[in-house]
Amino acid sequence: VCEQCDRGHPNYCTGLGEGASLGFHVDGGFADFVLAPAGKVRRMPDNITLEIAGTIETLSCIYRGRENIGHLDQDAKILILG
């Protein structure tokens, strides 16, 4: 277990432990098929399509970034990269 995992930040894992990211720390991000550890897999409700499920991580990053910024004026201009 790496230092980041010990600190409770598995998303910053520098090893191949529980926090290792598929496609970043471990090959498989663009593969047609990948064998993923059970702890990395979540069952989606039946009413969530694959197209919607594929955008959840992206939308959550945008939401968190917006929360971190705080108040924005209605006419504020922002740039989202990535």
Side-chain angles (χ1 to χ4, degrees):
V1 176
C2 75
E3 182 180 345
Q4 295 298 335
C5 288
D6 278 343
R7 291 182 178 178
H9 302 287
N11 51 316
Y12 295 116
C13 180
T14 57
L16 296 178
E18 184 63 30
S21 296
L22 292 172
F24 189 76
H25 296 106
V26 180
D27 289 343
F30 289 106
D32 290 332
F33 300 95
V34 64
L35 181 61
K40 301 282 186 189
V41 179
R42 302 289 181 264
R43 178 177 290 279
M44 290 286 111
D46 291 338
N47 64 332
I48 302 292
T49 64
L50 287 176
E51 290 80 9
I52 296 297
T55 66
I56 290 173
E57 191 271 342
T58 302
L59 293 173
S60 68
C61 289
I62 293 169
Y63 179 81
R64 180 177 167 124
R66 172 60 185 91
E67 290 293 305
N68 288 340
I69 290 171
H71 175 76
L72 286 173
D73 291 332
Q74 185 174 354
D75 61 347
K77 295 179 181 173
I78 63 170
L79 173 66
I80 299 173
L81 297 174

